[in-house]
Amino acid sequence: MSKRMKICINTGGGDAPGLNAVIEAVTMAAHNRQWEVYGIKCGYAGLLNTDEIINLTPEKVDGIASIGGTILGTTNKGNPFMMPVANAAGETELRDLSDRVMENFRRLRFDALVAVGGDGSLEIAHRFAEKGMPVIGVPKTIDNDMGGTVITFGFDTAVSVATEAIDRLHSTAKSHDRVMVVEVMGRNAGFIALNSGISGNADVILIPEIPFDIDKVCDKLMENELHGHRYAIVVVAEGALPRGGDVIAKGSGEAGRQHVVLGGIAEYVAREITQRTGKDSRSMVLGHLQRGGSPSPFDRLLSLRFGAAAVRAIEKGQFNHMVALKSPDIAMVPLGEALGMQKRVLIDGDTVLTARDLGICFGD
Ligand code: F6P
C-alpha cells in the first residue's frame, strides 16, 4: 500500500477565478487516497505563524469550485525571502524568513506543498524547492503570462468579463458618437486586451508588445469617420506604452510588493485623442472586476484538472515541477524551466494577424 501523505496547499499573488476549484480538487484527490490535507492561510504567512493552518476536509470544500476568490486568502507582498517586518525603530525592513518556513514545514511533517500562484509566487515556490521542500506548482493568473503552459486559469474568465464590458460600451459610444477607451489588466502582457478586443469588436487595441503611435490611432479614428463610422472602441492594456515612452505606473505600492501598480494609460489615450481629433472621448478602467466572481466553465474545469494532476504528481514524487496545459493533456514542466519562459503576445502570431485582417488598428 502506498504511503499516506500529509500535504498542504497555499494560494499566492493576486486572486484569480479558479483558485477555489484547485483547492477543491487537491482536497478531494488527496482525501480519496486517505491522505491528510492542510490549507496554509495567506500565501506563506501560515507557515510563519502556524495558527494560520486549517485542515481541509471534503465538507469544507464542498461546492467551492464555482466561487471566486480563495478560501485560503492570498497576498502579493508575502515573500518569505523578503518579508516586510517592523524593526525596533518602527520602520519597515525586508527580512529573509525562509528558514523559519522550512523549519515549520518539517516540524509539521508535511510531505509536499501545492503552491498555486503566478510567476512571483511560483518563483518563491521554486526557491523553497531548492532549499529541499517537495513542491508542486499550479499556474494561476488572469494575465496568462506564465510560460510552459498553453494557458493559465483565470484568464478565460477575465477575457469574458472584459468582452462583456466592451459589448456594453458599444451602445454608449454609438449613441453619443464617442470614443470609449477601456483599460484592461494584464501587466506587461497584452493577452486580455487582444482577446477581449477582438471578441468585443474593438476598432483599436493597444498592447505592451506593440508600442503605439498616438497619431496612427487618431488616423484610424478619422478614417473610420470618413466611412460614416463616427464612434469607436479602443481597448488598451494597462501595460501598453507609446513608442519611445514608458508605461504609466501609480507607484511601486506597498513594501515587499512583487510588482509596480500599473494604471492610467486609458485616461492618457482618451485625452490625447480629444486633443488631436476634437472627438468626444471617455476613459474607463475595468480593474478588479476582471478578477472577481465565478470562474467560467473553462477555468473551473482547468483548475480542477490542475489540482487533481498536482496530487498525482505528488504520488509519483515528481517535485519541483509545475502542472501545465499541453493541449489536450496536462503535463509536468520543471518549475525552473517554466519560470524562464515568460509569455508575451506573439506580434506575428495568428491572433494579431486575425485582428489586422479584421481591420483592427494596433497604433503601429
Ligand atoms: O497579475 C494579476 C493582476 O491583476 C494584474 O493584471 C494587475 O496589474 C495586478 O494584478 C493588480 O494587482 P493588485 O490587485 O495588487 O492591484
Side-chain angles (χ1 to χ4, degrees):
M1 198 181 129
S2 60
K3 182 176 178 245
R4 283 183 67 173
M5 301 270 198
K6 180 179 180 185
I7 67 170
C8 56
I9 174 168
N10 70 356
T11 53
D15 69 318
L19 284 167
N20 282 327
V22 178
I23 296 168
E24 180 175 326
V26 167
T27 304
M28 294 311 298
H31 176 80
N32 287 328
R33 287 166 170 79
Q34 275 87 48
W35 298 359
E36 284 177 76
V37 196
Y38 291 85
I40 311 289
K41 289 287 201 80
C42 282
Y44 290 88
L47 280 173
L48 285 167
N49 169 11
T50 50
D51 296 342
E52 302 270 329
I53 294 182
I54 55 168
N55 183 213
L56 292 172
T57 58
E59 296 71 38
K60 286 213 178 92
V61 301
D62 186 25
I64 64 170
S66 60
I67 302 170
T70 162
I71 61 164
L72 296 177
T74 188
T75 174
N76 46 20
K77 46 184 196 310
N79 181 352
F81 292 88
M82 271 187 2
M83 193 59 107
V85 180
N87 64 19
E91 293 151 352
T92 302
E93 59 180 41
L94 300 178
R95 288 213 201 123
D96 182 353
L97 303 180
S98 59
D99 285 339
R100 206 196 295 173
V101 169
M102 289 301 292
E103 276 160 32
N104 284 333
F105 183 87
R106 288 187 181 123
R107 185 175 54 77
L108 293 165
R109 300 190 177 284
F110 285 130
D111 294 299
L113 166 72
V114 177
V116 191
D119 54 357
S121 308
L122 295 187
E123 175 74 48
I124 297 168
H126 183 47
R127 289 181 74 178
F128 277 119
E130 288 183 330
K131 276 172 107 63
M133 188 186 284
V135 168
I136 302 290
V138 178
K140 159 242 68 162
T141 167
I142 63 162
D143 305 336
N144 198 32
D145 58 354
M146 276 292 305
T149 182
V150 168
I151 198 166
T152 52
F153 73 83
F155 174 66
D156 183 69
T157 310
V159 171
S160 306
V161 171
T163 304
E164 193 195 331
I166 296 164
D167 285 347
R168 287 174 185 271
L169 287 174
H170 273 276
S171 24
T172 300
K174 196 169 185 177
S175 307
H176 290 261
D177 278 347
R178 255 182 203 165
V179 181
M180 300 297 288
V181 185
V182 56
E183 179 174 311
V184 298
M185 283 186 167
R187 236 193 304 149
N188 302 110
F191 294 105
I192 299 177
L194 181 64
N195 287 22
S196 64
I198 297 176
S199 310
N201 195 22
D203 300 278
V204 178
I205 299 175
L206 305 176
I207 57 174
E209 293 84 351
I210 307 179
F212 63 88
D213 177 343
I214 193 72
D215 287 324
K216 294 276 169 58
V217 174
C218 294
D219 289 350
K220 164 73 179 172
L221 303 181
M222 297 320 286
E223 188 193 312
N224 275 3
E225 188 130 342
L226 285 178
H227 293 97
H229 186 72
R230 298 169 57 79
Y231 72 96
I233 302 287
V234 178
V235 177
V236 54
E238 62 180 358
L241 65 169
R243 232 180 244 171
D246 212 345
V247 293
I248 301 184
K250 291 182 186 157
S252 58
E254 314 91 314
R257 212 190 129 85
Q258 288 159 7
H259 303 283
V260 295
V261 184
L262 295 170
I265 187 72
E267 196 184 334
Y268 165 84
V269 169
R271 198 174 49 237
E272 291 294 316
I273 289 173
T274 302
Q275 273 171 15
R276 286 161 199 254
T277 65
K279 287 190 76 65
D280 197 14
S281 308
R282 293 287 190 280
S283 64
M284 70 152 303
V285 180
L286 211 47
H288 293 85
L289 283 176
Q290 294 157 96
R291 286 197 340 217
S294 187
S296 66
F298 178 90
D299 275 337
R300 231 178 269 190
L301 178 61
L302 182 64
S303 305
L304 292 167
R305 291 175 74 196
F306 275 175
V311 171
R312 292 197 298 274
I314 293 172
E315 197 164 39
K316 290 187 198 139
Q318 205 174 6
F319 296 114
N320 204 4
H321 277 63
M322 178 186 97
V323 297
L325 181 66
K326 298 257 166 157
S327 301
D329 299 314
I330 302 292
M332 299 304 297
V333 181
L335 260 178
E337 200 178 289
L339 289 166
M341 298 194 289
Q342 275 203 342
K343 212 163 59 185
R344 293 288 179 266
V345 169
L346 292 175
I347 62 174
D348 50 3
D350 158 77
T351 317
V352 169
L353 295 181
T354 300
R356 291 195 194 279
D357 283 335
L358 291 169
I360 296 172
C361 164
F362 286 93
D364 59 342

